[in-house]
Amino acid sequence: GGNKERERVSRLLCDLSIGETLTSEDILVGFTRIVAQTEDLQLDCPNATEIVSRFIVRALSDELLPPAFIANGERLRIGGPAGLRVLEASAKLQEDVRNGLSFAHLWRTAEEEARFKKEVKAAILEYFDSNDKAEISKILTELKMASDQAAEFVRKLIIFAMERTGLQCDMALDLLGYLRSNDDISDREIEMGFEQLYMQLDEIALDIPDAAVMARSFVKKAKAAGLLFDDYHPPE
């Protein structure tokens, strides 16, 4: 299955726990057995380490597993070397979640993330050449973006436009208006994209010295186009 199915399984475990169909002990024993069987799982699913570690961290975040699950598993060396790799990956991922990684990212593999970034970049550059808004809409529909991915698309669209000319900046705003009217991107996702832009502004300025000035211009024009609310204020 894909990430949507994995998300459904995580939610189902929550529901079964709340409804007391599954006890805390049932869930603990189940996850312990999965860690113990990681080596066998890898025969049919080469990225089992990555997937199992995500299920563990999600279950910890949902308080389905005790906080000491990872530490206890490492101490008891559940699953031998393969199990230890799962638990180490879980510990690292749990730290990322504590530092603000969203659950949406949790269910994406590194390969999926890289493919998404590559496809978004290609789509934006193609748009600047063709001005084909309908094609971009089709691509985004096929990508089935989560909200954080839609925000990333908005941010990258703006940055790529800033690297080029005023014409591309206007094209970027036109595209956002089209995508919003087509329900491909929501108002909140556009706002999130601008927030991401401002959070990375210092880094962007290394390549685009007048990035701060251009970002302010984008906000002003986005408000005028009705893409941002009049009372929107970028993060400091």
Side-chain angles (χ1 to χ4, degrees):
N3 289 331
K4 284 191 174 182
E5 287 75 19
R6 292 165 193 155
E7 172 65 19
R8 285 175 187 150
V9 169
S10 288
R11 291 184 183 181
L12 179 60
L13 287 174
C14 280
D15 291 341
L16 293 174
S17 173
I18 292 168
E20 299 183 354
T21 303
L22 290 178
T23 66
S24 298
E25 183 70 16
D26 291 332
I27 295 171
L28 176 60
V29 170
F31 272 92
T32 301
R33 286 180 178 173
I34 290 171
V35 174
Q37 295 171 11
T38 300
E39 189 170 1
D40 290 338
L41 291 173
Q42 288 173 332
L43 297 176
D44 296 317
C45 181
N47 60 337
T49 297
E50 196 166 13
I51 293 172
V52 173
S53 66
R54 279 163 164 71
F55 270 116
I56 289 171
V57 173
R58 180 59 187 268
L60 284 165
S61 299
D62 291 336
E63 299 182 354
L64 299 178
L65 288 172
F69 177 81
I70 294 173
N72 288 343
E74 289 176 329
R75 180 171 54 81
L76 296 170
R77 300 191 64 80
I78 302 294
L84 190 60
R85 284 193 294 272
V86 166
L87 295 168
E88 287 173 346
S90 300
K92 183 179 183 304
L93 195 58
Q94 188 178 39
E95 188 62 31
D96 290 340
V97 169
R98 285 173 179 154
N99 291 331
L101 179 72
S102 72
F103 284 136
H105 273 94
L106 197 62
W107 280 127
R108 286 181 219 130
T109 64
E111 182 181 340
E112 287 170 330
E113 278 289 292
R115 186 168 63 245
F116 171 75
K117 292 178 187 298
K118 182 178 179 180
E119 290 179 0
V120 162
K121 181 177 180 179
I124 292 171
L125 297 182
E126 174 62 27
Y127 167 68
F128 285 147
D129 284 338
S130 68
N131 198 24
D132 189 342
K133 299 180 184 67
E135 179 62 20
I136 290 288
S137 174
K138 179 183 174 185
I139 290 171
L140 297 189
T141 300
E142 291 171 352
L143 286 175
K144 297 178 181 176
M145 299 185 300
S147 285
D148 63 302
Q149 289 179 311
E152 182 177 344
F153 171 82
V154 172
R155 170 174 57 81
K156 291 194 169 184
L157 175 65
I158 295 170
I159 292 172
F160 288 150
M162 287 165 60
E163 289 174 343
R164 287 162 176 78
T165 68
L167 172 62
Q168 275 77 32
C169 291
D170 289 339
M171 287 175 67
L173 290 167
D174 286 345
L175 177 59
L176 290 178
Y178 177 87
L179 295 174
R180 190 187 66 166
S181 66
N182 211 38
D183 292 328
D184 294 313
I185 288 181
S186 69
D187 289 338
R188 177 57 187 147
E189 288 162 352
I190 291 173
E191 186 175 308
M192 286 166 59
F194 274 91
E195 287 171 0
Q196 285 186 12
L197 175 73
Y198 268 86
M199 288 170 65
Q200 298 180 19
L201 210 50
D202 289 344
E203 185 180 339
I204 296 167
L206 297 175
D207 296 317
I208 309 171
D210 55 347
V213 174
M214 297 181 78
R216 283 197 297 272
S217 175
F218 255 106
V219 169
K220 185 177 179 180
K221 289 182 177 180
K223 286 182 177 181
L227 297 171
L228 290 172
F229 293 113
D230 288 337
D231 60 356
Y232 172 77
H233 295 289
E236 294 294 332

